[in-house]
C-alpha cells in the first residue's frame, strides 16, 4: 500500500502493538488492524519476531516502526503438523519466565520513551503487565489466549510448569478488555469483551490478474498449498494432483525442485490474492488461512495439527459454513489428494458475516486511546464463569480422567456452531437428517455413514457389477421406514499395544481404540409396519400366521469378505417354549449356512440380551451394518461389530447398559453364540476406550483401571501383515489350553511342596506363600522370580491331552476343551503371561517417565520381547516377523542413529498367527516417512501392500448414540 495519508487531521496517537512469536497468522491479522490505524494518521510501533516484509509489503508508511523482539514463543513445533508440548513449556520458561524482571524493566522504559497512548497485545502476556507498570491502558485483540493453550500442555506433559498458566492469566488480567475475533476459545482472564467481525486482508489484484502472472488458465483447477512450510524431507510429486490441476506452494524451500504442475510462490508473495484466485486450499487451520478462506468462500482441505486447542473452534466454524474437508495425515504424505480435492470443489461455502474486523478493531483502539471507556453490550460474568470452568477442568483433571470441552459450553458460548439447546437435548440438521439425540462429534466416518444412509434408495449404481452388490443395494433401500426414528451407534476397533493373549491370565493390558470403526443403524417397527423382503413375505403367507416380529440385517461391503449381504429370520426362532434358546442351539442355528455365519455377531446380541437381561423383543428389528474395521487383521473387527450392534439395539429399546457391562455381554456373544474363545479386552476397548489414550484394564476379572496418557512425543501405528488372523483358530485355542495346563501344574506343584514342607517345619511365611500359589487364580499373580526359582523346571515343554487329563483331570477353563490326541505346548504358553504382566506394568510406568531416547528405547524393547514370546508360544508368522525385522533395520540404520532415532519397537498383536504389528516411535513426520518406507519394502518383498493403522477415536461409551429422522421423508 503506497502513499498512506491520514483521513483525519488530528494529533496522531501512538500505539505499541505486541505480536506473539507464534506463526504468521498473528502477524497478518495485525497488519490489517495496523493499516487502518495508520490510515487514520496514527503512529504504530510493532514489536514482533516476524520478518519485515510481512508488514512492509502491505504498509509503506513512515508512521510504521518495527522493533524485532521475541517476548513469547507460542507453540514449539516438531514439524508443520506436530506441537512439542514439553518443548513449548520449556521454551516459554526460557523466553518469558526466567528473564521476566529484565523484560518488564526494558518494556516499561521503552513504552515511556515512545510516549505510547495505548498498548495492544496479540496476545503477548507480559505486554499487559508492562503496560500496567508503565501506567498505560492496554487491550488484547485475539481469538485465543496462551493460558488456554498451555493448560493442556501442563496437564499432559509438564505439571511442574503449572505456574506458567497462572502467571499468563494474571498478566492478561491487567488488560482493560478483549477485542474478540470469531472462532474464539474460552478466555476467562479477560474482564470484558467486545466482539468484532473477521479480520481479513483485502485484495490487491483480481483473480484474472493473479492467474495470468502464475501462468494458469482460467479453466485449470488451482489449489494453494499452505502449511507454513513444507515438512522436511518430504517430496511433492506430480501424481499427487488430479489430472489437469495445478498447485501453488507457499513457504517452499529454495533448494527444492518442484514437478511441472507445482508452482513455488515467492516468500514475499501476497497470499490473499492467490487464495482468492484459487479453487481450494490444502493446509493446516490457523487464523490467517481460516479467515481468508472464509472471506473469499474458498473450500479448505485441512489436516489436523496435534495439541493445538485453537483448531477445534476454528474448525467448528469452518465446517458450520460448509467450507471444510478433513484429510488424514497419511493421505497427505502419500499423495492421496484427489478424492479430497474433488470433494472440496463441490462444496458451497456460505459464510455471510462481516470481514471488516480490522477496520472495526482499529476504530475501537482509536476511541480507547482517546479516553473512551468501552463496555460490552451484554454482561460478561456468565461467560467468564463458563470459560473459567472449562479452564479449571483442564488444570484440575487427574491422571486417567480426561475432561474435554463440555457440551453446554459449546451450546451456550460457541454460537457459530449453530446449535440450540433445550435441557440436555440437541436438535441439529446433518445432511438429510434431523439429529434428535446425540452428537456426531465431527467424526468424518460418522458423517460419511449418515451421508450413505441418505443416499440409500437413490437407485442402483450401474458401475456395480456383482450380484452381491446389487442385492446389497436393493435390500438396503427397502430396509427402513424413513419417517420413523433410526438409532445409530459407533464402535472402533482396537490396537493391542501390550498385553494381548495374556488377558485371560489376568494380565494388565494396554489397548488403544483406532480410528477405524463400525457403524450400526437400528430401527424397530411393529410387525404390521415392517417392510418384508419378498422371500420373507412368501414364507409368512405360506404359514398363514398372524403378524410376527422378524429380524432383517444388511451388511454393506459384504463383497469384500465373501459373505452373503443379507440375513433375515423370525425372532420366534430365538425362543423355545417362550424362553430364550440355549447358546448351543443358537450356535448351531448360525452354523447352518457358512455364508451367513457372520450374522451370529449381529443377531447374537439379541440372544444374549434375551438370556442375560430378560429383554423381550416384540417388534421387528431392521439393522444396517457398515464397518470400516478391516476383518482378519487382529484389530477386533468382530468386537467393534458386536459393541456397535448392541449399543444401537439397546438405544432403540430404551436400555441403559453401562459400557463395561455392555462389553461383558458382547464377550458372551463371541464366546457362546459365535463359538470363538476370546478375552474381553477387545470389547472393553471398543466400548470403554477414549480417543488418543491407552485403556488400562485387567480382563480376569474384568476391570477397567482407567486411561493412560500417550506422551506427546510418542506415537503408535499398526501395520497389517496381510496374513488372515482368527481368534477362533486352533493355534490360539491350543496356546490358551497350554496356558491353563501350566497354571494347573503350578498349583498342583505348590500344593505338594506346601504339604511336604509343613512336615519339615518350614518357615510360616514360606508355607503361606506356597498355599497362595496352590490356589493361584491367574498366572499374572505369579512374579517372574517365583516362576523361575520354583516352578520352571516342573513344567514340561509339551504334553498330550490324554496324559494331562489322566494326571490332572481338567485344566479349569470353561471356554476351551482338551483334545486327548493333541500335543500341547505348556512351558512357553505358561511363561508368556507371567512375564507379559511384568512387561505391561513396566511399560505403563515408563510412559510417565522423563522424556528421553532411553525412555523410547526401553518401551520398544519391551514390545520386542513380547513379540518373540508370542513366537515361542507358536503364535508368530512369517509376515509379522518380517515387519518387526523391517522396524529393527530402520531403527538401527545409520540415518536413524544420526537423527536420534524415529522408530523404537514393534510386536505382533491380539491373538497372533498373523494379523497386525504394533509399532512405537517418535511423534513427528520423519516417523511417518519410515512407516511408509516399511510399507513399501514389505510390498516389494511379499507383493502385498499392508494397510497402515494410525490415529484414534472414541469408544462406543464416549460416542453414545444418535437418534435420527429423515427430513421430509416419504415412504
Amino acid at each position: 500500500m503506497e502513499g498512506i495519508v491520514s483521513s483525519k487531521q488530528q494529533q496522531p496517537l501512538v500505539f505499541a502493538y505486541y505480536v506473539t512469536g507464534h506463526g504468521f497468522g498473528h502477524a497478518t491479522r495485525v497488519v490489517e488492524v495496523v493499516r487502518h490505524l495508520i490510515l487514520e494518521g496514527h503512529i504504530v510501533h510493532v514489536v514482533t519476531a516476524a520478518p519485515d516484509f510481512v508488514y512492509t509489503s502491505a504498509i509503506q508508511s513512515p508512521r510504521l516502526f518495527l522493533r524485532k523482539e521475541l517476548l513469547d514463543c507460542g507453540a514449539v513445533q516438531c514439524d508443520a503438523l506436530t506441537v512439542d508440548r514439553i518443548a513449548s513449556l520449556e521454551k516459554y520458561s526460557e523466553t518469558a519466565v526466567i528473564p521476566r524482571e529484565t523484560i518488564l524493566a526494558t518494556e516499561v522504559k521503552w513504552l515511556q520513551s515512545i510516549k505510547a497512548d495505548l498498548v495492544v497485545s496479540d496476545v503477548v502476556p507480559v505486554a499487559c503487565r508492562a503496560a500496567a507498570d508503565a501506567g498505560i491502558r492496554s487491550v488484547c485483540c485475539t481469538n485465543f489466549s496462551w493460558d488456554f493453550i498451555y493448560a493442556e500442555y501442563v496437564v499432559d506433559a509438564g505439571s511442574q510448569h503449572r505456574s506458567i498458566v497462572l502467571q499468563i492469566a494474571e498478566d492478561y488480567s491487567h488488560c482493560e478488555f478483549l477485542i474478540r475475533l470469531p472462532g474464539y476459545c474460552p478466555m476467562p482472564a479477560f474482564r470484558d469483551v467486545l466482539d468484532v467481525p473477521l479480520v481479513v486482508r483485502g485484495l490487491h489484484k483480481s483473480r484474472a490478474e493473479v492467474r495470468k502472472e502464475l501462468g494458469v488458465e482460467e479453466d485449470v483447477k488451482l489449489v494453494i498449498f499452505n502449511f507454513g512450510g513444507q515438512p522436511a524431507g518430504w517430496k511433492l510429486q506430480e501424481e499427487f494432483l488430479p489430472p489437469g490441476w495445478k498447485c501453488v506452494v507457499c513457504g517452499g524451500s529454495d533448494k527444492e525442485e518442484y514437478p511441472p504442475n507445482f508452482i513455488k510462490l515467492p516468500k514475499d508473495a501476497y497470499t490473499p490474492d492467490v487464495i482468492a484466485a484459487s479453487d481450494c486450499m490444502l493446509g493446516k487451520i490457523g487464523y490467517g488461512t481460516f479467515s481468508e478462506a472464509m472471506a473469499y468462500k474458498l473450500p479448505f482441505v485441512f489436516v489436523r495439527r496435534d495439541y493445538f486447542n485453537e483448531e477445534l473452534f476454528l474448525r467448528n466454524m469452518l465446517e458450520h459454513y460448509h467450507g471444510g474437508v478433513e484429510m488424514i495425515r497419511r493421505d497427505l504424505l502419500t499423495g492421496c489428494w484427489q478424492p479430497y480435492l474433488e470433494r472440496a470443489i463441490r462444496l458451497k461455502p456460505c459464510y455471510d458475516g462481516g470481514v471488516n474486523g480490522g477496520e472495526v478493531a482499529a476504530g475501537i483502539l482509536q476511541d480507547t486511546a482517546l479516553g473512551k471507556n468501552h463496555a460490552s453490550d451484554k454482561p460478561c460474568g456468565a461467560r467468564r464463569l463458563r470459560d473459567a470452568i472449562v479452564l479449571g477442568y483442564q488444570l484440575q483433571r487427574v491422571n486417567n480422567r480426561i475432561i474435554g470441552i463440555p457440551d453446554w459450553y459449546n451450546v451456550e458460548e460457541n454460537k457459530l456452531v449453530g446449535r440450540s439447546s433445550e435441557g440436555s437435548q440437541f436438535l441439529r440438521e446433518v445432511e438429510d437428517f434431523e439429529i434428535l439425540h446425540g452428537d456426531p462429534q465431527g467424526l468424518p466416518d460418522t458423517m460419511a455413514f449418515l451421508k450413505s444412509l441418505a443416499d440409500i434408495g437413490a437407485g442402483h449404481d450401474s458401475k456395480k457389477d456383482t450380484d452381491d452388490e446389487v442385492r446389497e443395494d436393493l435390500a438396503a433401500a427397502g430396509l427402513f421406514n424413513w419417517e420413523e426414528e433410526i438409532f445409530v451407534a459407533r464402535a472402533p476397533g482396537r490396537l493391542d499395544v501390550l498385553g494381548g493373549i495374556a488377558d485371560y491370565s489376568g494380565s494388565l493390558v494396554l489397548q488403544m481404540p483406532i480410528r477405524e470403526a463400525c457403524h450400526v443403524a437400528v430401527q424397530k417397527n411393529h410387525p404390521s409396519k415392517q417392510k418384508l423382503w419378498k422371500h420373507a413375505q412368501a414364507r409368512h403367507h405360506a404359514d398363514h400366521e398372524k403378524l410376527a416380529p422378524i429380524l432383517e440385517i444388511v451388511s454393506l461391503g459384504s463383497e469384500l469378505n465373501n459373505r452373503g449381504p443379507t440375513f433375515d429370520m423370525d425372532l420366534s426362532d430365538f425362543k423355545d417354549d417362550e424362553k430364550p434358546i440355549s447358546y448351543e442351539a443358537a450356535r448351531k442355528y448360525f452354523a447352518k449356512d457358512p455364508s451367513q455365519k457372520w450374522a451370529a455377531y449381529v443377531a447374537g446380541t439379541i440372544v444374549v440380551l434375551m438370556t442375560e437381561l430378560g429383554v423381550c423383543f416384540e417388534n421387528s428389528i431392521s439393522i444396517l451394518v457398515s464397518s470400516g474395521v478391516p476383518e482378519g487383521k487382529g484389530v477386533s473387527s468382530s468386537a467393534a461389530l458386536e459393541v456397535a450392534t448392541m449399543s444401537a439395539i439397546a438405544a432403540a429399546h430404551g436400555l441403559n447398559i453401562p459400557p463395561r457391562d455392555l462389553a461383558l455381554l458382547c464377550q458372551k456373544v463371541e464366546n457362546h453364540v459365535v463359538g470363538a474363545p476370546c478375552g474381553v479386552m477387545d470389547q472393553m476397548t471398543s466400548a470403554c476406550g477414549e480417543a488418543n489414550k491407552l485403556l488400562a484394564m485387567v480382563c480376569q476379572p474384568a476391570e477397567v483401571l482407567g486411561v493412560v496418557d500417550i506422551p506427546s512425543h510418542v506415537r503408535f501405528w499398526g501395520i497389517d501383515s496381510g496374513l488372515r488372523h482368527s481368534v477362533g483358530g486352533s493355534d490360539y485355542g491350543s496356546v490358551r489350553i497350554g496356558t491353563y495346563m501350566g497354571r494347573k501344574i503350578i498349583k498342583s506343584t505348590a500344593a505338594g511342596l506346601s504339604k511336604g514342607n509343613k512336615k519339615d517345619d518350614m518357615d510360616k511365611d514360606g508355607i503361606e506363600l506356597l498355599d497362595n500359589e496352590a490356589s493361584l487364580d491367574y498366572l499374572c499373580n505369579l512374579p517372574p522370580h517365583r516362576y523361575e526359582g520354583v516352578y520352571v523346571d516342573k513344567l514340561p515343554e509339551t504334553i498330550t491331552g490324554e496324559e494331562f487329563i489322566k494326571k490332572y483331570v481338567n485344566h479349569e477353563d470353561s471356554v476351551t476343551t482338551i483334545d486327548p490326541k493333541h500335543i500341547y505346548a505348556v512351558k512357553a504358553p505358561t511363561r508368556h503371561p507371567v512375564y507379559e504382566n511384568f512387561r505391561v506394568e513396566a511399560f505403563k510406568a515408563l510412559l510417565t517417565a522423563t522424556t528421553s531416547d532411553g525412555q523410547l528405547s526401553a518401551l520398544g524393547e519391551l514390545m520386542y520381547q513380547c513379540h518373540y514370546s508370542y513366537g515361542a508360544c507358536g503364535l508368530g508368522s512369517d509376515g509379522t516377523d518380517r515387519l518387526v525385522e523391517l522396524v529393527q533395520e530402520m531403527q538401527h540404520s545409520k540415518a536413524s542413529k544420526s537423527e536420534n532415532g524415529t522408530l523404537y519397537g514393534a510386536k505382533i498383536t491380539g491373538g497372533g498367527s498373523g494379523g497386525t504389528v504394533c509399532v512405537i516411535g517418535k511423534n513427528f513426520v520423519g516417523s511417518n516417512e519410515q512407516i511408509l518406507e516399511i510399507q513399501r519394502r514389505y510390498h516389494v518383498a511379499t507383493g502385498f501392500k499392508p494397510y497402515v493403522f494410525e490415529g484414534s477415536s472414541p469408544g462406543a461409551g464416549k460416542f453414545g448414540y444418535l437418534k435420527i429422522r429423515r427430513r421430509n421423508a416419504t415412504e
Side-chain angles (χ1 to χ4, degrees), residues 744 801-812 818:
K744 186 66 174 282
E802 183 179 16
E803 182 182 356
F804 180 86
I805 293 170
K806 183 177 179 180
K807 188 171 183 179
Y808 298 101
V809 182
N810 63 69
H811 66 324
E812 300 175 347
I818 297 174

Side-chain angles (χ1 to χ4, degrees), residues 57 195 329 339 396 402 440 517 548 552 624 633 639 686 697 702 765 833:
S57 61
D195 286 301
R329 190 177 304 190
Q396 298 302 324
I402 300 301
E552 292 180 335
L624 180 70
K633 308 301 184 185
S686 189
M697 75 192 97
D765 290 338

Side-chain angles (χ1 to χ4, degrees), residues 478 527 530-537 540 547-548 550 552 620:
Q530 180 66 28
K531 297 179 178 180
L532 297 179
W533 294 325
K534 288 184 178 180
H535 63 276
Q537 287 177 346
H540 277 238
L547 291 172
I550 69 167
E552 292 180 335
S620 294

